[in-house]
Every structure is written in structure tokens, then in C-alpha cells.
Amino acid sequence: MKNAIIDTGPIVALFDKDDKFHKNAITFFKSFHDRLITTWPVITEVSYMLNFNIDVQCAFFEWVRLHGISIYEISPNQVQ
């Protein structure tokens, strides 16, 4: 299994049907069968950017809960 680091943009595009990259994101996520990795700051930013609709935010958090993405913990020592 391969790992891929993912940032905010593609995740927002997946959940925001009005995003200009939504269809591309759907295609990518349907065809990608390896592990996606992100960080808590990305999760926070995505939830903020999806704040236009509580149902969309809930769908995103459910996807996270069901392990649609792995969250890498950043320790304070790694930020220095």
C-alpha cells in the first residue's frame, strides 16, 4: 500500500459540490485505493471551509471517523 499526503484543497473539493474541482476530486478519490495522510491543522481548515453547510461538515467528519483519511500527529519537537 502506498501513502499519499493530502492537503486541504482536494478534500474541500470532494465535499463541496460547488467547487470547480469537485468532479476531478470525485474521480480521484474513487480511483485511489491507497492510504491518504493528513494532519490535524488540515482537518481544522477543511471543517472551517465547509462551514457553509452543517450537513456537509458532518459528512466530512463521518468520512474521517470511518478512516477515509489517516491523521498524522505532529509533535512539538517536529515544529521547531
Side-chain angles (χ1 to χ4, degrees):
M1 178 176 277
K2 296 178 186 176
N3 293 325
I5 298 170
I6 190 165
D7 200 8
T8 303
I11 301 170
V12 170
L14 176 64
F15 286 91
D16 181 358
K17 65 180 175 75
D18 294 329
D19 188 288
K20 68 180 181 179
F21 296 109
H22 179 69
K23 289 181 183 178
N24 292 352
I26 294 287
T27 300
F28 170 78
F29 282 93
K30 282 185 177 180
S31 66
F32 188 81
H33 301 291
D34 294 313
R35 191 170 101 167
L36 294 170
I37 301 170
T38 198
T39 61
W40 281 111
V42 170
I43 299 298
T44 302
E45 186 174 34
V46 171
S47 65
Y48 173 78
M49 294 183 75
L50 297 177
N51 73 357
F52 60 87
N53 186 307
I54 189 71
D55 293 330
V56 174
Q57 281 181 320
C58 289
F60 164 64
F61 285 122
E62 181 67 6
W63 180 69
V64 171
R65 188 184 74 77
L66 294 173
H67 307 287
I69 197 163
S70 297
I71 302 171
Y72 180 80
E73 295 287 338
I74 300 173
S75 72
N77 295 339
Q78 292 170 309
V79 180
Q80 296 178 4

